[in-house]
């Protein structure tokens, strides 16, 4: 092919991959168009094992693969206009229809080719009720064919498997139009009923017709390229010539899907040629580019030594470019290639700068964080701010400020007295207080970055949201506690305030950033679930050793992920760990991603088993128990681990990359030196999780009218208050000067 650049021709993939590691260490992000991790798209589910588009194929995806894996459905239309997921226009290719309707075949022109077979246009949904999906690839097991997998409608896939993303591939529009079935109407209709994240098609007329009709939705339109010599049926140009007109494709599509060989071509005897410039060209044209045809059991180029993981790395982590997604029959492998864990900051990069300040967030971003977090508190004048504690004593210099006398005792909030965010206005906080760096290991005299102990500026939620936009991160996490208190005692509807701040900041339609909401109170998440489509994280605020299965099912109803503490995974006794609990696989089997908090670098924060080495600890959680995310004060440490070139080496990994065995070190301790036996941690049950709904916001409690609305980014400050606080601080300075 003509698009090849002679850059790596003589160097070999190995060198390329090594180079990739080196370059990746400089950049905190993926080389995709958005900077986000490439998407994993499971074609017909885990179709490498189960019949394509069968319930087990779809079910198996979240059990084996990254929790954000998108489900792909090849849409065919029945005679009565129902969209069903069947991988081939010829039903006899992948179902047992020929057994039920022995003389039911027809001869139809499909893109001008006379084709004989069984077609969905000849059957109603009811006619197909006894037909089942079977294995279409002869080299794969047919053992599951006797499971009678019924044909699934598109809505069934959306509702039964609740995927984090749904991709509809419309391989044929003209063919269905010839049989008086309108694919355009169908796709518009179904996307009103269930979330459709991607629509792809190799038919240009179809995509450009539907593009304006879907322009106000979040659905991405993807133009699918077929072999370069084939003619695109609606324009009669070859796909090869359309490849030279990406700016035209960009007028109706947001991305393209190409056979993987367009990107890394191979010779006739299956050796890799140098990569083409296609990914770089597509990104330059503002198009995302997805690569198709990944399967672990297809013949790989010899350059990959039969290792499919090596192939994915060549597409997503080569140091030069990354495709924006891969379409695969074996979603488990790209999940490995893309790498866990997700790195979520804890109060920003709070290991180096005061919690939730601009400097802490910038540190997290520079370090390679995936999600930055904002714990929401509210000020007296109803402004949402990011602050790690509701008590300003914890993370500001309030006790050395004019407001040092504003202590009060609010038992609903905390047992001890405090100076609370809701007792000071935003201007009072911003103009009179300085941030104060956290020091969780102060009892061991370990302080953090003393030169920057009071550095940085406080952030309102609106400041945080504009900061995050355009940063090379996957998204943001908003943590909401004390919602009931805010509603009942302050008249502040924190949930609506957060939703409206996100809308005002354009998060619903203008950014590619994912929004996660975390709370320890299920009623908060349930309210978000009713009002938004954000990812919901349930934080368990006690150490647990297990969870009832009914409780797992309850949590799954309102959350996509859970956050649990480190002890719930590796229980600890006198700074030694014991065997891991089975809580991580249990949550994951229930369809919940598991994030673990809080990882800290100070050596006293880690049990002895991890050798005072934060990387050994992270590796044990990732390789030993396969957690999905790490919540950390030190995102750069987790990111350094993630980029470690010794990861993903399978059985060849060096000793220092194997997870620590829980309980191993304890066996070397003589009986008299043994720490006391652990008190058993509780098992999470329904009564821990089920909560009454949040009360409605009643304005009569409102401290100020502005309290019930979100603060727009540029709220005018109250001039009187401002003068008063300037005056107070001037007075303090003056009296200090007089006393000196
Ligand atoms: C693939 O391997 C062949 C044979 O060793 C080599 O000539 C070629 O350069 C390799 N391709 C790439 C892209 O490294
Ligand atoms: C990494 O960045 C530094 C400073 O920007 C630069 O000097 C160095 O060459 C970069 N390394 C690579 C491998 O790109
Ligand atoms: C079904 O179609 C695929 C793709 O064209 C082909 O590889 C496969 O051999 C076919 N299988 C059967 C059973 O016809
Ligand atoms: C298509 O193929 C079938 C079977 O080979 C044949 O009977 C039929 O006449 C063909 N139709 C056309 C339009 O060529
Ligand atoms: C499906 O099978 C059931 C039970 O054998 C039969 O009663 C029904 O008529 C069949 N439906 C169709 C559409 O063939
Ligand atoms: C199919 O429906 C779309 C809109 O729903 C319409 O624009 C188009 O003309 C229809 N096509 C045919 C062939 O009726
Ligand atoms: C959630 O997503 C669905 C499907 O994309 C959409 O119809 C709905 O409006 C969204 N809800 C909100 C609150 O954005
Ligand atoms: C790109 O496609 C458009 C629309 O078909 C056409 O007008 C234009 O001439 C094409 N440009 C090139 C360079 O082929
Ligand atoms: C702080 O606010 C709470 C709730 O509005 C109020 O009950 C308390 O008296 C206030 N404390 C001070 C010191 O202003
Ligand atoms: C995004 O949504 C906001 C609020 O719903 C709306 O005002 C704005 O016009 C939308 N912007 C775009 C580009 O759609
Ligand atoms: C649920 O757990 C709590 C705390 O561990 C415990 O007090 C309670 O008895 C448990 N309830 C049930 C029904 O097991
Ligand atoms: C969770 O929120 C509900 C509704 O506001 C409230 O009744 C409940 O006490 C809260 N639970 C906890 C543990 O704070």
């Amino acid at each position: 092919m003509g698009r090849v650049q002679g850059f790596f021709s003589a160097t070999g993939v190995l060198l390329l991959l090594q180079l990739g590691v080196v370059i990746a260490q400089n950049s905190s992000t993926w080389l995709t168009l958005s900077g986000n991790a490439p998407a994993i798209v499971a074609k017909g589910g885990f179709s490498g094992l189960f019949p394509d588009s069968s319930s087990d194929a779809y079910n198996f995806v979240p059990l084996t693969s990254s929790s954000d894996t998108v489900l792909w459905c090849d849409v065919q239309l029945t005679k009565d206009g129902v969209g069903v997921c069947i991988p081939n226009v010829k039903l006899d290719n992948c179902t047992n229809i020929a057994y039920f309707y022995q003389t039911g075949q027809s001869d139809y022109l499909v893109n001008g080719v006379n084709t004989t077979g069984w077609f969905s246009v000849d059957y109603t949904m009811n006619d197909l009720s006894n037909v089942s999906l079977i294995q279409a690839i002869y080299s794969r097991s047919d053992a599951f064919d006797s499971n009678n997998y019924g044909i699934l409608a598109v809505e069934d896939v959306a509702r039964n498997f609740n995927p984090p993303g749904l991709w509809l591939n419309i391989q044929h529009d003209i063919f269905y139009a010839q049989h008086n079935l309108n694919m355009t109407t169908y796709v518009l209709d179904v996307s009103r009923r269930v979330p459709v994240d991607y629509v792809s098609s190799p038919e240009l007329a179809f995509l450009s017709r539907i593009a304006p009709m879907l322009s106000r939705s979040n659905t991405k339109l993807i133009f699918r390229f077929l072999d370069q010599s084939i003619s695109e049926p609606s324009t009669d140009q070859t796909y090869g010539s359309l490849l030279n007109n990406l700016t035209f494709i960009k007028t109706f599509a947001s991305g393209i899907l190409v056979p993987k060989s367009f990107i890394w071509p191979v010779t006739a005897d299956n050796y890799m040629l140098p990569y083409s410039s296609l990914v770089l060209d597509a990104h330059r044209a503002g198009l995302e580019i997805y690569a198709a045809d990944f399967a672990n059991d297809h013949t790989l180029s010899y350059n990959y030594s039969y290792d499919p993981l090596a192939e994915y790395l060549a597409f997503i982590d080569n140091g030069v470019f990354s495709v924006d997604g891969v379409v695969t029959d074996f979603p488990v492998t790209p999940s490995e290639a893309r790498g866990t864990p997700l790195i979520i900051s804890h109060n920003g990069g709070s290991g180096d700068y005061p919690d939730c300040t601009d400097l802490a967030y910038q540190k997290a971003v520079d370090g390679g964080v995936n999600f930055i977090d904002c714990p929401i508190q509210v000020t007296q004048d109803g402004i949402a701010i990011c602050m790690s504690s509701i008590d300003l004593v914890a993370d500001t210099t309030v006790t050395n400020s004019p407001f040092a006398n504003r202590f009060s005792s609010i038992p609903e909030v905390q047992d001890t007295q405090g100076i609370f965010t809701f007792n000071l206005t935003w201007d009072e906080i911003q103009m009179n207080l300085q941030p104060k760096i956290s020091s969780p290991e102060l009892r061991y005299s370990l302080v953090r970055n003393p030169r920057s102990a009071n550095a940085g500026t406080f952030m309102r939620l609106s400041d945080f949201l504009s900061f995050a936009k355009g940063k090379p991160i996957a998204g943001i996490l908003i943590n909401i506690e004390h919602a009931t208190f805010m509603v009942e005692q302050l008249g502040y509807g924190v949930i609506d305030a957060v939703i409206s701040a996100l809308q005002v900041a354009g998060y619903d339609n203008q950014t590619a950033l994912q929004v996660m909401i975390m709370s320890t109170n299920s009623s908060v998440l349930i309210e978000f679930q009713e009002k938004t489509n954000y990812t919901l994280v349930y934080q368990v605020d006690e150490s647990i050793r297990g969870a009832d299965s009914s409780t797992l099912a309850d949590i799954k109803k309102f959350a996509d992920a859970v956050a649990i503490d480190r002890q719930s995974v590796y229980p600890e006794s006198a700074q030694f760990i014991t065997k891991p609990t089975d809580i991580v696989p249990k949550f994951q089997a229930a369809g919940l991603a598991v994030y673990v908090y809080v990882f800290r670098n100070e050596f006293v924060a880690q049990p002895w088993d991890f050798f005072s080495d934060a990387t050994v600890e992270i590796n044990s959680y990732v390789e030993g128990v396969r957690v999905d995310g790490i919540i950390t004060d030190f995102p750069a440490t987790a990111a350094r681990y993630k980029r470690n070139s010794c990861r993903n080496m399978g059985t060849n990994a060096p000793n220092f990359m194997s997870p620590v065995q829980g309980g191993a070190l304890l066996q070397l301790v003589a009986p008299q030196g043994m720490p006391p036996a652990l008190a058993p941690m509780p098992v999470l049950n329904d009564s821990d999780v089920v909560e009454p709904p949040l009360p409605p916001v009643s304005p009569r409690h409102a401290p100020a009218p502005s309290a019930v609305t979100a603060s727009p980014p540029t709220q005018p400050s109250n001039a009187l208050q401002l003068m008063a606080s300037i005056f107070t601080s001037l007075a303090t300075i003056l009296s200090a000067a007089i006393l000196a």
Side-chain angles (χ1 to χ4, degrees):
M1 47 183 278
R3 312 183 51 81
V4 161
Q5 275 192 349
F7 191 58
F8 281 108
S9 48
T11 52
V13 188
L14 192 63
L15 178 59
L16 174 70
L17 295 180
Q18 281 166 348
L19 190 66
V21 169
V22 176
I23 293 174
Q25 276 165 357
N26 255 10
S27 71
S28 58
T29 184
W30 292 92
L31 297 169
T32 52
L33 185 62
S34 66
N36 296 339
I40 300 171
V41 185
K43 186 189 163 298
F46 205 120
S47 52
L49 188 55
F50 298 101
D52 191 304
S53 310
S54 65
S55 57
D56 276 344
Y58 287 125
N59 261 325
F60 208 56
V61 170
L63 296 180
T64 50
S65 312
S66 182
S67 58
D68 60 356
T69 303
V70 173
L71 297 186
W72 162 296
C73 159
D74 282 291
V75 182
Q76 316 297 340
L77 292 178
T78 63
K79 193 176 178 177
D80 50 345
V82 179
V84 289
C85 300
I86 300 179
N88 200 303
V89 70
K90 282 177 58 180
L91 304 195
D92 47 317
N93 172 275
C94 47
T95 75
N96 62 2
I97 191 164
Y99 169 83
F100 286 97
Y101 299 99
Q102 288 173 7
T103 57
Q105 74 263 53
S106 308
D107 302 319
Y108 290 135
L109 286 177
V110 179
N111 292 350
V113 178
N114 185 7
T115 307
T116 302
W118 280 254
F119 295 89
S120 58
V121 295
D122 294 330
Y123 299 91
T124 65
M125 190 63 184
N126 185 55
D127 294 336
L128 297 176
S129 56
N130 292 336
V131 173
S132 47
L133 293 153
I134 56 172
Q135 185 54 263
I137 312 270
Y138 292 122
S139 58
R140 294 177 182 168
S141 174
D142 60 2
F144 302 104
D145 289 359
S146 40
N147 289 8
N148 290 327
Y149 295 115
I151 292 170
L152 297 169
V154 172
E155 289 95 323
D156 296 335
V157 174
R159 296 198 178 119
N160 301 355
F161 310 106
N162 195 20
L166 181 64
W167 183 311
L168 301 184
N169 179 52
I170 310 300
Q171 196 69 8
H172 298 283
D173 167 56
I174 296 170
F175 171 74
Y176 287 106
Q178 286 162 352
H179 296 270
N180 298 319
L181 290 165
N182 191 326
M183 191 58 97
T184 309
T185 314
Y186 170 75
V187 169
L188 291 176
D189 193 40
V190 77
S191 66
R192 272 182 222 113
R193 279 176 283 133
V194 297
V196 174
D197 300 274
Y198 299 87
V199 171
S200 63
S201 178
E203 293 190 10
L204 202 149
F206 168 74
L207 272 192
S208 52
R209 183 183 326 122
I210 205 165
M213 304 175 186
L214 283 172
S215 67
R216 288 200 289 144
S217 73
N218 291 326
T219 309
K220 290 184 181 176
L221 296 183
I222 310 291
F223 182 58
R224 179 175 197 176
F225 281 88
L226 304 180
D227 277 354
Q228 304 206 25
S229 57
I230 297 178
S231 284
E232 192 285 313
S234 56
T235 61
D236 263 358
Q237 296 188 56
T238 64
Y239 287 102
S241 71
L242 287 167
L243 209 50
N244 294 316
N245 206 345
L246 293 177
T247 46
F248 168 57
I249 306 290
K250 174 66 186 164
T251 59
F252 56 87
S254 59
I256 59 176
L257 169 64
V258 300
K260 65 187 182 186
S261 61
F262 282 25
I263 296 168
W264 281 106
V266 291
T267 60
D269 61 346
N270 219 8
Y271 283 90
M272 279 170 91
L273 289 165
Y275 68 85
S276 76
S277 62
L278 185 56
V279 177
L280 300 167
D281 294 345
H283 285 173
R284 213 170 293 123
L287 285 164
E288 290 194 321
I289 174 167
Y290 295 81
D293 308 330
F294 288 88
N296 295 4
D297 58 355
H298 291 184
T299 312
L300 297 179
S301 162
Y302 292 108
N303 296 62
Y304 300 123
S305 314
Y306 290 99
D307 178 357
L309 187 66
E311 182 183 36
Y312 288 108
L313 288 172
F315 282 81
I316 67 173
D317 199 2
N318 60 32
V320 180
F321 59 75
S322 169
V323 296
D324 299 279
V326 291
V327 178
T328 174
D329 294 1
F330 291 79
V332 64
T333 314
S335 302
E336 294 158 16
R338 211 180 53 176
T340 46
L342 219 55
I343 304 170
I344 304 167
S345 72
H346 178 246
N347 305 321
S350 57
D352 291 281
Y353 292 102
D355 290 0
C356 305
T357 53
D358 56 341
L359 295 178
Y361 289 125
Q362 188 62 49
K363 178 81 188 176
V365 171
D366 292 343
V369 79
N370 303 124
F371 283 79
I372 52 175
D373 69 306
C374 167
I376 298 285
Q377 315 296 346
V378 64
T379 64
Q380 191 176 45
D381 49 343
I383 293 181
I385 57 174
C386 302
M387 188 79 81
S388 59
S389 170
I390 195 168
D391 181 359
L392 293 165
V393 175
D395 45 19
T396 73
T397 57
V398 70
T399 52
N400 292 321
S401 78
F403 314 112
N405 59 352
R406 292 225 188 145
F407 272 98
S408 46
S409 174
I410 315 252
E412 297 106 301
V413 171
Q414 68 180 33
D415 299 338
T416 54
Q417 286 206 329
I419 303 177
F420 298 104
T421 57
F422 51 83
N423 288 129
L424 270 70
T425 63
W426 166 240
D427 283 335
E428 286 173 338
I429 293 173
Q430 182 195 18
M431 307 202 47
N432 298 281
L433 313 187
Q434 286 177 330
K436 190 170 82 183
I437 201 163
S438 62
S439 43
E441 305 300 349
L442 193 58
R443 68 204 144 127
Y444 298 102
S445 306
L446 297 181
V447 296
R448 291 174 167 177
N449 194 7
R451 287 198 185 169
S452 298
N454 301 108
T457 56
F458 297 117
M459 308 271 270
R460 290 172 296 191
L461 173 60
S462 54
D463 300 325
F464 172 83
L465 295 177
S466 34
F467 171 87
K469 279 206 261 181
K471 294 289 185 299
I473 53 178
I476 58 168
L477 178 145
I478 293 178
N479 184 7
I480 299 179
E481 296 304 326
H482 307 297
T484 312
F485 172 80
M486 289 182 192
V487 170
E488 286 183 341
Q489 303 303 319
L490 307 176
Y492 182 68
V494 62
I495 296 180
D496 288 336
V498 167
I499 293 173
S500 122
L502 284 162
Q503 273 169 2
V504 169
Y507 274 69
D508 290 342
N509 50 8
Q510 293 162 30
T511 73
L513 294 178
Q514 195 184 335
V515 177
M516 296 209 270
I517 306 288
M518 181 164 86
S519 182
T520 59
N521 195 322
S522 58
S523 61
V524 169
L525 300 183
I526 288 168
E527 195 165 327
F528 270 101
Q529 189 177 42
E530 284 160 3
K531 296 181 171 172
T532 70
N533 288 329
Y534 300 138
T535 304
L536 303 174
V537 185
Y538 180 59
Q539 182 178 5
V540 179
D541 58 358
E542 57 176 342
S543 300
I544 52 173
R545 72 185 141 91
D548 291 348
S549 44
S550 64
T551 307
L552 294 172
D554 279 345
I555 297 175
K556 177 64 190 165
K557 281 187 207 139
F558 59 76
D560 308 289
V562 292
I564 56 177
D565 71 353
R566 288 180 302 158
Q567 288 241 32
S568 300
V569 180
Y570 284 107
E572 241 177 76
S573 179
Q575 300 266 58
F576 286 98
I577 56 166
T578 59
K579 279 218 170 67
T581 62
D582 63 356
I583 194 149
V584 174
K586 268 196 169 154
F587 275 124
Q588 287 169 339
L592 292 155
V594 181
Y595 307 143
V596 179
Y597 66 91
V598 172
F599 285 80
R600 300 198 159 114
N601 282 0
E602 288 98 341
F603 64 95
V604 291
Q606 300 138 21
W608 301 116
D609 305 67
F610 301 126
F611 317 128
S612 307
D613 179 329
T615 302
V616 172
E617 182 179 39
I618 294 170
N619 186 52
S620 297
Y621 281 81
V622 174
E623 291 299 320
V625 287
R626 308 230 162 257
V627 304
D628 301 284
I630 295 279
I631 301 178
T632 173
D633 287 358
F634 295 89
T637 300
R640 243 176 252 127
Y641 163 74
K642 220 163 137 168
R643 292 186 205 113
N644 188 318
S645 52
C646 293
R647 294 192 64 205
N648 297 323
M649 287 177 68
T651 49
N652 293 328
N655 281 347
F656 57 84
M657 290 305 288
S658 20
V660 162
Q661 298 293 308
L665 214 48
L666 267 181
Q667 289 174 13
L668 299 179
V669 179
Q672 61 272 30
M674 278 298 233
L678 291 174
M681 297 187 293
V683 171
L684 198 67
N685 64 35
D686 288 357
S687 63
D688 299 320
V689 169
V690 178
E691 299 279 0
L694 283 164
V697 183
S698 128
R700 90 196 134 83
H701 291 301
S706 62
V708 287
T709 56
S711 62
T714 54
Q715 194 169 36
S717 58
N718 180 326
L720 268 181
Q721 244 161 26
L722 193 73
M723 281 176 63
S725 59
I726 291 172
F727 183 74
T728 323
S729 45
L730 262 181
T732 321
I733 294 164
L734 281 177
S735 55
I738 292 165
L739 285 175

